[in-house]
Amino acid sequence: MDGLQLTSLELKAHSEADLPFLLQLYTSVRRDEFAAANWPESQLNLFLSEQFSAQYRYYCQHYSTDRFDIIYYQNQAVGRLFVDYWLDENQEIRIVDISLMPEYRGSGIASCLLEQLFIEAETLGLTVSIHVERNNPARALYERLGFKLKTQTDEVYLLMEWQAAS
């Protein structure tokens, strides 16, 4: 992709009609993790489908789905941005998940969307938080954008937080 055209970026609320795309996206993110298992393709696809369904059900049961959006670039679905607003004692915007199809990773789309969330958080006086796997390459992006580790223990998933400069 040559130079990101921000006007070509749009978020639309997801619906059940988006589930096949969301499964395809999930599979693109997780497939490499399980390649070493050397499962037959049909077994790997079944496993990933079941994992996607379990994750999606969990997200829908434990988070508000009001801002579970599909990311469109030039009118094509390219990813998802699932966000929840915790306005109780936490006072934060929780990024439940941000994922892009492989050909759109590193394009600036995630940075653009995260920066929009930072503006919103600053306006509302909130922090922005996200969990990331310790070895996930996206962790470097989050750190570059100003997220700091909030997790104090050695866990697989690290909690990171962004706060507006005071």
Side-chain angles (χ1 to χ4, degrees), residues 9 12 63 96 136-137 163:
L9 198 56
K12 294 181 184 174
Y63 298 99
V96 177
N136 186 329
Q163 294 181 349

Side-chain angles (χ1 to χ4, degrees), residues 49-103:
S49 178
E50 289 171 350
Q51 291 293 301
F52 165 74
S53 294
Q55 181 194 65
Y56 183 76
R57 277 192 313 274
Y58 179 86
Y59 284 174
C60 290
Q61 289 171 357
H62 292 90
Y63 298 99
S64 168
T65 59
D66 292 347
R67 290 276 311 268
F68 278 20
D69 295 325
I70 304 297
I71 303 166
Y72 286 85
Y73 182 71
Q74 296 179 339
N75 297 315
Q76 179 180 343
V78 300
R80 71 179 182 183
L81 176 60
F82 289 2
V83 176
D84 196 3
Y85 290 76
W86 294 358
L87 303 177
D88 53 11
E89 69 276 354
N90 294 327
Q91 295 292 301
E92 68 185 73
I93 297 173
R94 171 59 60 96
I95 301 167
V96 177
D97 188 88
I98 183 168
S99 303
L100 293 168
M101 294 299 288
E103 60 271 27

Side-chain angles (χ1 to χ4, degrees):
M1 258 170 39
D2 302 331
L4 182 66
Q5 298 173 351
L6 298 181
T7 56
S8 298
L9 198 56
E10 185 177 5
L11 296 176
K12 294 181 184 174
H14 90 290
S15 70
E16 284 204 18
D18 295 307
L19 291 178
F21 167 74
L22 290 172
L23 172 60
Q24 178 187 9
L25 176 63
Y26 180 87
T27 299
S28 78
V29 170
R30 303 292 308 271
R31 179 174 289 281
D32 289 347
E33 265 180 79
F34 299 99
N38 289 323
W39 291 340
E41 190 68 18
S42 61
Q43 184 179 358
L44 178 59
N45 288 337
L46 178 62
F47 175 79
L48 290 171
S49 178
E50 289 171 350
Q51 291 293 301
F52 165 74
S53 294
Q55 181 194 65
Y56 183 76
R57 277 192 313 274
Y58 179 86
Y59 284 174
C60 290
Q61 289 171 357
H62 292 90
Y63 298 99
S64 168
T65 59
D66 292 347
R67 290 276 311 268
F68 278 20
D69 295 325
I70 304 297
I71 303 166
Y72 286 85
Y73 182 71
Q74 296 179 339
N75 297 315
Q76 179 180 343
V78 300
R80 71 179 182 183
L81 176 60
F82 289 2
V83 176
D84 196 3
Y85 290 76
W86 294 358
L87 303 177
D88 53 11
E89 69 276 354
N90 294 327
Q91 295 292 301
E92 68 185 73
I93 297 173
R94 171 59 60 96
I95 301 167
V96 177
D97 188 88
I98 183 168
S99 303
L100 293 168
M101 294 299 288
E103 60 271 27
Y104 292 93
R105 296 175 195 152
S107 67
I109 290 173
S111 295
C112 175
L113 293 171
L114 292 172
E115 288 168 1
Q116 289 175 357
L117 280 176
F118 297 159
I119 292 168
E120 186 177 355
E122 198 165 15
T123 301
L124 297 172
L126 304 174
T127 61
V128 179
S129 64
I130 189 168
H131 275 102
V132 63
E133 288 180 338
R134 176 172 301 287
N135 297 319
N136 186 329
R139 181 177 169 190
L141 167 66
Y142 304 148
E143 289 171 345
R144 195 168 54 251
L145 291 174
F147 280 91
K148 306 282 186 235
L149 277 180
K150 190 171 180 181
T151 299
Q152 300 300 316
T153 58
D154 189 25
E155 300 174 21
V156 174
Y157 289 95
L158 305 172
L159 180 60
M160 301 187 79
E161 183 177 73
W162 178 91
Q163 294 181 349
S166 12

